[in-house]
Amino acid sequence: MTPGDEHDYGESARTDESHGYGGTRLRLPENDPYGGARRGGRSSSRSLVTVVGVVVLLIAAIAFANRGGDDSSSTTASDGPADKPNPTSTTASGTKPVASKSGTIPVGYAHDAQGAQSAAANYAVALGSADMFVTASRHQIVDTVYAPAVAAARQSALDTAYSSETFLSNIGLDNDGTAPDGQTFVSRVIPVGTKVTASNANNATVEVWYTSLFGLSGEASTNPVSESWFTTTYQLEWTNNDWKITDFQQKDGPVPVGRDQQASTADDMTKAVEEYGGFTYAR
């Protein structure tokens, strides 16, 4: 739910094991849609990795600085041990996750563990979207997904992070957070699964494992769309008749082994992003 981690598609992507890509093979299109820009000097690539990596971790740092509450009173979820949920604990139940939305974000979850999982998955999608880079939509997202007690502090910290012209420029975005003409900015989170690790009447701890797409798609892009894998643990509180985020922690992985597939052209990637919409997630 954060800006995705930038990854070099060249040699460094195969050798940088700290990002979980050591030994993974990736074939580029025969006609490089980026004009060889991605194969530039290592210094510029690593500089961008550093800048984007800092922002990937920035939101987690903000959460740590403002974290509160004590999970000591929480109890293990009733549907299985914390480290190994019952095989049926995350199967589809057929229950509709929500009945309403705030803007584009689903809200109004059930007051139970299943509702907490649905909330965490949908909030992860919102916080990892391209809308977080535009001030007005970012404010709406933060006000919707965070508990009122922490929303203001998160708002201020995120405004500072996302309004940095240096950061936006290094990603390739204009100062207002939009993509240059002829390019499409991609920042999308796709949840793979969720797990409740602790819960009580009004609090829940939910892990969301997801893949993230991040970059600029277009013929002139020097930051092609790449994928990353993360697990974010959300602390949720039942407030104002809904589940809201009070804190979170993010970590890399689990990262699957990549297949030897040819990367799509910039045109194909842009079409896919524009034509395939997202989902409302349920447990």
Side-chain angles (χ1 to χ4, degrees), residues 1 117-118 120-126 188-194 207-212 229-230 279-282:
M1 67 279 351
Q117 290 180 74
S118 296
N122 284 304
Y123 292 166
V125 171
R188 185 178 293 192
V189 162
I190 306 97
V192 176
T194 62
E207 293 184 3
V208 181
W209 178 36
Y210 61 91
T211 183
S212 172
W229 289 82
F230 301 99
F279 296 95
T280 295
Y281 289 86

Side-chain angles (χ1 to χ4, degrees), residues 120-183:
N122 284 304
Y123 292 166
V125 171
L127 289 167
S129 70
D131 288 339
M132 287 292 290
F133 290 77
V134 179
T135 301
S137 56
R138 179 173 64 251
H139 287 180
Q140 191 268 334
I141 291 171
V142 172
D143 288 340
T144 298
V145 307
Y146 279 104
V150 301
R154 297 292 192 271
Q155 196 76 271
S156 176
L158 291 171
D159 282 347
T160 299
Y162 282 92
S163 63
S164 168
E165 293 184 7
T166 301
F167 165 63
L168 294 174
S169 175
N170 281 325
I171 293 176
L173 300 179
D174 294 336
N175 292 341
D176 60 356
T178 59
D181 291 341
Q183 298 185 40

Side-chain angles (χ1 to χ4, degrees), residues 6-244:
E6 193 274 342
H7 301 290
D8 184 359
Y9 278 80
E11 180 182 355
S12 61
R14 295 190 294 272
T15 58
D16 188 0
E17 296 186 0
S18 66
H19 288 80
Y21 285 84
T24 300
R25 295 178 297 169
L26 180 64
R27 291 193 299 166
L28 298 171
E30 293 180 3
N31 297 318
D32 187 356
Y34 304 99
R38 70 162 68 88
R39 299 182 184 277
R42 280 183 172 273
S43 60
S44 61
S45 175
R46 292 197 177 277
S47 175
L48 185 57
V49 169
T50 300
V51 172
V52 179
V54 166
V55 176
V56 169
L57 299 175
L58 178 59
I59 300 177
I62 293 168
F64 278 119
N66 294 280
R67 70 190 310 179
D70 184 358
D71 293 334
S72 60
S73 61
S74 299
T75 58
T76 302
S78 60
D79 53 7
D83 59 345
K84 188 176 182 181
N86 185 289
T88 63
S89 66
T90 54
T91 56
S93 66
T95 300
K96 189 172 182 178
V98 292
S100 59
K101 288 186 176 182
S102 174
T104 59
I105 306 173
V107 295
Y109 298 92
H111 190 183
D112 55 22
Q114 178 174 326
Q117 290 180 74
S118 296
N122 284 304
Y123 292 166
V125 171
L127 289 167
S129 70
D131 288 339
M132 287 292 290
F133 290 77
V134 179
T135 301
S137 56
R138 179 173 64 251
H139 287 180
Q140 191 268 334
I141 291 171
V142 172
D143 288 340
T144 298
V145 307
Y146 279 104
V150 301
R154 297 292 192 271
Q155 196 76 271
S156 176
L158 291 171
D159 282 347
T160 299
Y162 282 92
S163 63
S164 168
E165 293 184 7
T166 301
F167 165 63
L168 294 174
S169 175
N170 281 325
I171 293 176
L173 300 179
D174 294 336
N175 292 341
D176 60 356
T178 59
D181 291 341
Q183 298 185 40
T184 300
F185 177 49
V186 182
S187 182
R188 185 178 293 192
V189 162
I190 306 97
V192 176
T194 62
K195 178 176 67 173
V196 175
T197 58
S199 66
N200 57 34
N202 294 309
N203 296 276
T205 302
V206 181
E207 293 184 3
V208 181
W209 178 36
Y210 61 91
T211 183
S212 172
L213 302 179
F214 188 83
L216 281 168
S217 178
E219 294 295 333
S221 173
T222 59
N223 304 316
V225 179
S226 60
E227 69 170 336
S228 303
W229 289 82
F230 301 99
T231 297
T232 296
T233 301
Y234 290 101
Q235 304 296 330
L236 300 175
E237 178 181 84
W238 185 256
T239 180
N240 295 334
N241 295 313
D242 208 354
W243 289 109
K244 300 295 180 182

Side-chain angles (χ1 to χ4, degrees), residues 258-273:
R259 295 186 61 188
D260 185 13
Q261 292 181 290
Q262 179 171 299
S264 297
T265 64
D267 185 54
D268 285 343
M269 182 61 68
T270 299
K271 287 181 179 179
V273 171

